[in-house]
Amino acid sequence: MPGELITMSAATFVRPGGEAALHDITWTFRDGETWAIVGPTGAGKTALVDAAAGLLRLTAGRIEWPILDAARAKGKRADWPGDAIRRVTFREDSRLFSYRGYYYQQRFEFGDDPDVPTLRAYLSSGIGSSAREVEDAAARLGVARALDLSLLKLSNGQTRRARLAKGLLAQPELLILDDPFVGLDVAGRADVDTLLGDLVRDGQRVLLVCRPDQIPAWVTHRIELDGGRVVDAGERNRGWEGAAITTPRSVPFAVPNELAEEYVAVRNVTVRHGGRTLLEGVSWTVRAGERWAVLGPNGSGKTTLLSLLCGDHPQAYSSDVRLFGTRRGSGESIWDVKRDVGFLSPEFHLYFSEPLTAFRTATTGFFDVLSDRPTSAGQDRRVRDLFEAFQILHVKDRPFATLSTGEQRLVLLARAVVKSPRLLILDEPFQVLDRVHVARLRAWLDVTLRPDQALIFVTHDVNEKPEGVTHALRLENGRVVGRGK
């Protein structure tokens, strides 16, 4: 049929290890349509875009790419789906740059690794774009000021914008976007929404994965997956309601005693790097049992503040930062720092690339390491209980690298809480999860955290914070602009 770009008919696909990923998929993507792929965490959304990009093996049915003919008609070489389709994913993993060769703390070090490309070099590589085109794309995505920064130094939001700029510079016949709004604040999401809408109106074909409540107005069609199967597909405005949410009852905590033990004490801390002030005059105290929300737009200093608490930022040792009464730089090891702290962030997720199963990935949280260590029967029971609570027990034996982004985030959340730390720091823990999982995990935190445990919860969406949050700290441009109960 004229106008067809990708067609699947009763198609079944398997992952590289042979495990079934999608079952009996019948779907046609036509010119003039813009599709959003939705569904719960682990539904098969990532698998569908992998299949559309020709990255999964077909074992039954058929798949065809008439889009290759459209590319050839423009004089482009198009022998494989990858010649016409560009996919923008959560993580860069290419010959130019891969997080596998680096560790999380490197992003806070003062010097730049000469082997890590700058954003300018990254955008210029492999696609023949001129310097002006690179600068225009960076400006359009709001990362022009970061062009000469190492990729390791970019924030989570900047990294996503950079990946999108790279995809646009390739001028693909089809641009596949995996959760393009994740990691962006409200203003950033609006900017990217407007940019992508303009591109679609200018003729750029787009297929995106996103949350049902974030489907842009310029999307014309929606396909919903669950369990690797299509459960609904068609025009986006067909009265689709989505799944109902049922959760355990949340139990908000009472405001703790103001004389309780200080877990965190930050005293008039200023952090500067590369001529930029990242934090200025920040003071903050977190006591036993307190639940804090840390709020602020992209670039406000949230990640820098957390890196000081965890001992990952080198300026933690020249600043007045105390954890459980001990000042940084007083002789404690990094392991002493992390023993009573559980941590999860989008940046940590990017750097976790160990070849472990989902289950063994979670067990590394007992030891604050990234490599596998022997565990006791009790520790194994603890991980299994968490996997059941988070509804990911079915993926426990799968390699972590083969999980969807949402499933990986749930595994890393289990890793963060597995040792029941006195201080739990969760930076955007829910940003790639569906709303049902978010509601359940909010309630789980409220019900499960002990009265002596403190929580620091960073989010761009105040609707994601647990009900038991008792305090809020707001940052803008590296300064505290609001705090209170």
Side-chain angles (χ1 to χ4, degrees):
M1 179 182 296
E4 292 182 353
L5 302 173
I6 301 173
T7 63
M8 301 181 188
S9 179
T12 294
F13 300 88
V14 297
R15 297 185 175 89
E19 180 184 8
L22 296 168
H23 311 271
D24 196 30
I25 304 294
T26 296
W27 174 51
T28 300
F29 185 175
R30 294 183 174 87
D31 222 351
E33 299 173 346
T34 302
W35 284 80
I37 305 173
V38 300
T41 303
K45 304 184 294 294
T46 298
L48 183 60
V49 296
D50 281 346
L55 301 177
L56 292 184
R57 182 164 61 90
L58 179 74
T59 59
R62 66 180 179 85
I63 179 171
E64 297 176 350
W65 289 275
I67 194 171
L68 298 180
D69 295 328
R72 295 184 193 110
K74 297 178 181 178
K76 298 180 180 179
R77 178 177 178 178
D79 298 324
W80 306 98
D83 295 331
I85 299 171
R86 177 59 62 104
R87 184 179 168 208
V88 178
T89 59
F90 174 65
R91 171 194 312 224
E92 174 72 12
D93 190 8
S94 65
R95 293 180 181 179
L96 179 64
F97 177 77
S98 172
Y99 289 96
R100 297 174 188 274
Y102 304 93
Y103 55 90
Y104 171 70
Q105 289 79 7
Q106 277 181 276
R107 68 189 308 271
F108 303 112
E109 293 176 354
F110 296 114
D112 287 333
D113 189 321
D115 295 329
V116 181
T118 63
L119 174 57
R120 188 186 303 276
Y122 167 71
L123 294 179
S124 303
S125 174
I127 51 180
S129 298
S130 67
R132 173 57 63 86
E133 288 172 329
V134 167
E135 291 175 358
D136 287 348
R140 201 171 187 185
L141 269 299
V143 289
R145 294 177 62 185
L147 276 170
D148 295 316
L149 288 180
S150 156
L151 289 185
L152 290 180
K153 307 298 186 185
L154 301 184
S155 69
N156 181 45
Q158 288 173 323
T159 298
R160 286 189 170 273
R161 289 170 180 265
R163 297 278 289 130
L164 181 54
K166 181 78 168 179
L168 294 175
L169 284 166
Q171 300 180 356
E173 293 298 309
L174 172 63
L175 185 63
I176 297 179
L177 306 175
D178 197 342
D179 270 334
F181 306 116
V182 167
L184 302 178
D185 56 29
V186 174
R189 288 196 297 271
D191 288 345
V192 171
D193 187 326
T194 300
L195 167 66
L196 294 175
D198 289 344
L199 289 171
V200 169
R201 284 185 283 273
D202 289 342
Q204 175 65 60
R205 304 180 184 97
V206 171
L207 168 66
L208 77 156
V209 176
C210 68
R211 286 171 24 178
D213 59 341
Q214 292 184 345
I215 296 178
W218 38 264
V219 166
T220 62
H221 290 70
R222 172 193 50 77
I223 179 169
E224 181 187 1
L225 300 176
D226 197 1
R229 299 178 184 274
V230 175
V231 297
D232 194 16
E235 294 184 8
R236 60 168 297 176
N237 297 318
R238 291 193 304 127
W240 178 74
E241 296 294 337
I245 299 177
T246 58
T247 68
R249 184 174 63 89
S250 294
V251 182
F253 286 88
V255 176
N257 188 328
E258 292 185 359
L259 298 179
E261 178 187 354
E262 286 187 354
Y263 282 2
V264 172
V266 178
R267 302 286 187 260
N268 195 30
V269 168
T270 294
V271 175
R272 294 187 175 91
H273 176 64
R276 298 170 58 226
T277 299
L278 305 178
L279 293 175
E280 184 168 358
V282 173
S283 295
W284 183 34
T285 300
V286 177
R287 298 181 182 275
E290 291 182 347
R291 314 289 195 254
W292 282 84
V294 179
L295 310 171
N298 291 126
S300 61
K302 302 186 300 296
T303 297
T304 300
L305 178 59
L306 300 187
S307 69
L308 293 173
L309 305 186
C310 295
D312 295 319
H313 199 295
Q315 292 192 35
Y317 302 95
S318 59
S319 303
D320 193 349
V321 178
R322 301 169 191 264
L323 205 64
F324 307 111
T326 301
R327 181 167 176 168
R328 289 286 172 271
S330 59
E332 83 281 10
S333 71
I334 190 66
W335 312 117
D336 294 328
V337 172
K338 296 181 181 295
R339 182 175 297 118
D340 288 319
V341 179
F343 177 68
L344 171 60
S345 74
E347 290 81 8
F348 180 83
H349 189 165
L350 278 175
Y351 286 88
F352 194 94
S353 56
E354 297 300 311
L356 303 176
T357 65
F359 192 89
R360 299 313 301 175
T361 293
T363 64
T364 65
F366 286 115
F367 313 103
D368 304 305
V369 296
L370 301 183
S371 57
D372 201 6
R373 297 274 183 89
T375 48
S376 67
Q379 289 171 327
D380 288 346
R381 281 195 301 273
R382 169 66 172 163
V383 173
R384 186 180 183 88
D385 289 346
L386 288 170
F387 274 37
E388 286 184 336
F390 297 172
Q391 299 187 342
I392 51 171
L393 192 59
H394 61 288
V395 304
K396 69 181 182 67
D397 296 321
R398 279 180 52 190
F400 179 81
T402 69
L403 305 182
S404 72
T405 303
E407 289 168 336
Q408 289 180 350
R409 185 60 60 87
L410 290 168
V411 171
L412 293 179
L413 179 59
R415 181 188 184 275
V417 304
V418 71
K419 62 183 179 181
S420 298
R422 284 198 286 166
L423 176 61
L424 181 60
I425 302 175
L426 301 179
D427 184 355
E428 296 283 359
F430 303 154
Q431 66 175 197
V432 291
L433 303 179
D434 64 79
R435 65 193 184 106
V436 174
H437 269 93
V438 170
R440 287 173 178 157
L441 290 169
R442 290 175 64 228
W444 184 89
L445 287 168
D446 281 331
V447 171
T448 307
L449 291 184
R450 300 188 313 271
D452 67 308
Q453 285 181 285
L455 172 67
I456 297 175
F457 190 94
V458 181
T459 181
H460 288 306
D461 184 353
V462 294
N463 295 315
E464 290 185 350
K465 68 179 179 60
E467 290 184 30
V469 165
T470 54
H471 297 68
L473 180 79
R474 181 175 293 277
L475 298 174
E476 287 185 15
N477 297 318
R479 296 184 178 186
V480 175
V481 296
R483 82 175 84 222
K485 296 179 182 178

